[in-house]
């Protein structure tokens, strides 16, 4: 039995199956865009822990900042004895989030908590009960964020009942014939059939759906939502948990729409792997809950703040926002070549900076998702020396989420491995 097999056996016995693992390669160490497992195998990482290590694994500056912080103090609780690192991080985020309206932030620990708190704040501010989310969206695994999520298996199946007054509208997916007009009509129908606009506290949307398949919301939908929310007094929550921190070639993806969110949620790329998340929004909205109504024991941990401050510096110093676009262009070239070679297999290519997707179909038919080949690719990625993820509600989208610090050489080597893996799966 290999070391990985032994560890997998121990894990299966010790950790509940609900917390499943995609690969049985148990990591011993990782550096930038490479990782190594318990049997000494090397992998090129095209997943970065689900869009978290945008600055690569163990970036020296993040390591240094964290070590320094841990040596000073690791926890006092931001709600008991606060510290400057959290203030500085909030000040920086408040200026980075698009829009001129003065902003305030809070810190929690995970993306799901950020979403939960955004909805709590919207309810407190409006005094209303309803929230509208989108089909195919993903917002987390806590009870409220799970209810907002628009995918059944594995996220919602077995876990109800969910909180009330959560509604879903269609999310535009051009490839599957769902248009912006369909989304708008869906919302208008909800207002007639399910909840009046004046009872809606918030509309929450991912500007690029992550788990849903890397579909970007057209700018026309985002501007429609901004106008609708302004007219109806609804809080517009933009969930940038996966798309933020340079990932899509702008600091936040919302920048391409030229609109301001009322509240933005962020996590993942914020701190290169240290558990901290943030909710940043218009000050008047953020200040609606009473003192003590928001937060948590570990919210805004000093270690997370130190890591996040280092990550912000690295993104700027190393030009990682621009680098995301260069990475996207390199992947696009390689995926186009795959598409030329297998025109019936590649149904769509979606390049949002370094949030890159290739949707697989059968016989070139958009309506025939090729879940089987996609899952075969994932099943054999480990032996090919790659870390790859799939997504999409048909499970037929290969997603590439490399570190924004990945070298051109590693992209080329990784994609050569992918080409060989695909050829193997298709024979
Ligand atoms: N929102 C979005 C858009 C996400 O992609 C995720 C995580 N995939 C979440 C929320 C939940 O984040 P977490 O897993 O940290 O709770």
């Amino acid at each position: 039995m290999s070391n990985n097999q032994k560890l997998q056996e121990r894990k299966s016995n010790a950790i509940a199956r609900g917390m499943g693992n995609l690969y049985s390669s148990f990591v011993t160490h990782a550096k930038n865009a490479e990782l190594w497992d318990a049997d000494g195998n090397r992998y090129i990482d095209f997943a970065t822990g689900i869009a978290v290590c945008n600055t690569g694994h163990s970036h020296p500056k993040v390591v240094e900042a964290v070590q320094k912080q841990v040596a000073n103090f690791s926890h006092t609780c931001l709600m008991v004895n606060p510290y400057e690192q959290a203030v500085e991080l909030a000040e920086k985020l408040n200026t980075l989030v698009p829009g001129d309206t003065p902003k305030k932030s809070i810190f929690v620990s995970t993306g799901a908590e950020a979403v939960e708190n955004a909805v709590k704040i919207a309810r407190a501010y409006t005094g209303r009960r309803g929230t509208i989310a989108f089909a195919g969206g993903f917002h987390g695994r806590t009870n409220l964020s799970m209810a907002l999520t628009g995918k059944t298996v594995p996220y919602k199946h077995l876990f109800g009942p969910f909180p009330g007054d959560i509604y879903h509208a269609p999310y535009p997916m051009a490839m599957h014939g769902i248009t912006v007009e369909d989304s708008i009509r869906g919302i208008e129908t909800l207002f007639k059939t399910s909840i009046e606009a004046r009872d809606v506290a918030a509309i929450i949307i991912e500007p690029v759906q992550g788990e849903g398949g890397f579909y970007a919301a057209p700018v026309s939908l985002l501007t429609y939502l901004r106008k609708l929310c302004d007219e109806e007094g609804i809080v517009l929550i933009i969930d940038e948990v996966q798309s933020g921190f340079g990932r899509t070639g702008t600091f936040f993806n919302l920048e391409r729409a030229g609109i301001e969110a009322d509240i933005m949620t962020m996590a993942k790329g914020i701190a290169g792997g240290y558990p901290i998340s943030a909710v940043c929004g218009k000050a008047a909205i953020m200040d609606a809950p009473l003192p003590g109504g928001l937060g948590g024991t570990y919210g805004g941990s000093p270690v997370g703040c130190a890591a996040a401050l280092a990550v912000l510096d690295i993104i700027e110093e190393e030009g990682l926002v621009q680098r995301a676009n260069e990475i996207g262009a390199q992947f696009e070239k390689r995926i186009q070549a795959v598409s030329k070679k297998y025109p019936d297999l590649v149904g769509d290519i979606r390049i949002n900076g370094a949030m890159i997707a290739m949707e697989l179909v059968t016989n070139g038919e958009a309506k025939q998702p090729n879940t089987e080949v996609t899952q075969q690719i994932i099943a054999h990625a480990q032996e090919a020396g790659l870390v790859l993820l799939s997504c999409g509600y048909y499970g037929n989208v290969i997603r590439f989420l490399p570190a924004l610090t990945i070298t051109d050489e590693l992209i080329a080597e990784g994609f050569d491995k992918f080409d060989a893996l695909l050829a193997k799966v298709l024979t």
Side-chain angles (χ1 to χ4, degrees):
M1 232 193 225
S2 72
N3 291 331
N4 281 325
Q5 285 168 333
K6 281 185 217 153
L7 283 165
Q8 184 63 55
E9 193 172 290
R10 281 173 57 198
K11 182 194 174 246
S12 301
N13 286 332
I15 298 180
R17 67 173 184 166
M19 201 165 193
N21 53 307
L22 198 53
Y23 296 112
S24 61
S25 37
F26 282 73
V27 180
T28 52
H29 59 290
K31 192 167 189 297
N32 196 11
E34 295 166 278
L35 46 92
W36 287 265
D37 73 15
D39 289 312
N41 300 308
R42 166 186 174 257
Y43 302 88
I44 294 179
D45 188 358
F46 281 168
T48 49
I50 321 186
V52 168
C53 301
N54 291 2
T55 50
H57 293 289
S58 297
H59 191 292
K61 287 194 173 152
V62 176
V63 172
E64 191 191 338
V66 166
Q67 283 176 336
K68 205 168 142 199
Q69 182 57 51
V70 170
N72 278 344
F73 69 99
S74 54
H75 180 79
T76 57
C77 187
L78 189 56
M79 294 159 30
V80 179
N81 290 112
Y83 29 86
E84 185 176 352
Q85 293 89 326
V87 179
E88 189 182 341
L89 182 59
E91 287 167 348
K92 290 199 164 152
L93 294 178
N94 293 345
T95 57
L96 282 165
V97 166
D100 292 337
T101 314
K103 307 281 192 309
K104 285 194 179 182
S105 293
I106 61 152
F107 297 112
V108 274
S109 304
T110 64
E113 277 180 280
V115 167
E116 292 254 357
N117 280 279
V119 174
K120 278 172 66 173
I121 295 164
R123 286 177 178 162
Y125 179 71
T126 59
R128 301 177 182 181
R129 58 191 169 89
T131 306
I132 296 176
F134 288 84
F138 183 86
H139 299 289
R141 289 179 174 83
T142 58
N143 202 34
L144 177 57
S145 62
M146 181 170 55
L148 295 166
T149 289
K151 182 175 176 183
T152 52
V153 176
Y155 306 127
K156 300 176 88 151
H157 174 57
L158 300 176
F159 296 131
F162 303 110
D165 281 313
I166 307 280
Y167 306 89
H168 289 89
Y171 190 94
M173 298 158 78
M175 181 189 171
H176 294 280
I178 304 173
T179 63
V180 170
E181 289 66 39
D182 292 329
S183 299
I184 294 173
R185 208 168 309 124
I187 293 169
E188 285 169 353
T189 304
L190 285 177
F191 288 159
K192 293 285 175 220
T193 60
S194 306
I195 185 158
E196 279 211 10
R198 63 185 151 167
D199 289 325
V200 176
I203 296 179
I204 182 166
I205 187 167
E206 294 163 89
V208 183
Q209 277 195 342
E211 308 304 307
F214 288 15
Y215 298 97
V219 167
S220 60
L221 177 65
L222 296 169
T223 50
Y224 161 82
L225 291 176
R226 181 64 278 166
K227 187 162 174 281
L228 173 73
C229 289
D230 285 342
E231 285 169 4
E232 301 292 351
I234 298 168
V235 172
L236 180 60
I237 303 171
I238 302 290
D239 184 349
E240 293 250 17
V241 165
Q242 191 156 160
S243 57
F245 296 89
R247 173 57 55 189
T248 70
T250 46
F251 197 92
F252 289 111
N253 184 267
L254 188 66
E255 289 165 37
R256 73 187 160 88
I259 61 162
E260 187 169 6
D262 293 316
I263 297 179
M264 189 177 273
T265 52
M266 54 194 90
K268 292 187 184 279
I270 189 173
Y274 293 86
I276 181 168
S277 61
V279 184
C280 178
K282 293 178 179 168
I285 298 175
M286 294 297 292
D287 272 338
L290 300 176
L294 304 174
T297 306
Y298 298 110
S301 124
V303 182
C305 289
L309 288 168
V311 162
L312 292 181
D313 286 347
I314 295 164
I315 291 175
E316 195 181 336
E317 285 163 15
E318 299 187 14
L320 295 186
V321 174
Q322 181 48 32
R323 179 67 186 150
N325 289 313
E326 291 163 13
I327 291 168
Q330 289 187 30
F331 271 87
E332 186 168 21
K333 227 186 259 166
R334 299 294 304 253
I335 299 173
Q336 291 288 4
V338 172
S339 174
K340 222 175 241 163
K341 195 165 173 196
Y342 308 105
D344 285 351
L345 179 69
V346 181
D348 198 17
I349 301 167
R350 295 185 286 277
I351 310 288
N352 306 283
M355 196 167 175
I356 300 152
M358 179 169 80
E359 180 152 354
L360 302 186
V361 298
T362 307
N363 302 325
E365 282 285 326
K367 288 204 168 58
Q368 289 183 38
N370 199 331
T371 309
E372 200 190 318
V373 167
T374 312
Q375 295 315 316
Q376 283 289 317
I377 292 170
I378 299 297
H380 293 285
Q382 180 171 339
E383 64 203 46
L386 279 179
V387 187
L388 272 182
L389 300 171
S390 62
C391 62
Y393 56 70
Y394 301 110
N396 67 322
V397 180
I398 297 287
R399 57 171 153 170
F400 300 96
L401 288 164
L404 307 182
T405 47
I406 192 171
T407 59
D408 292 351
E409 291 71 29
L410 274 184
I411 296 175
E413 188 190 342
F415 216 96
D416 289 347
K417 287 178 189 288
F418 181 78
D419 281 340
L421 164 63
L422 187 57
K424 191 174 163 198
V425 164
L426 292 175
T427 51

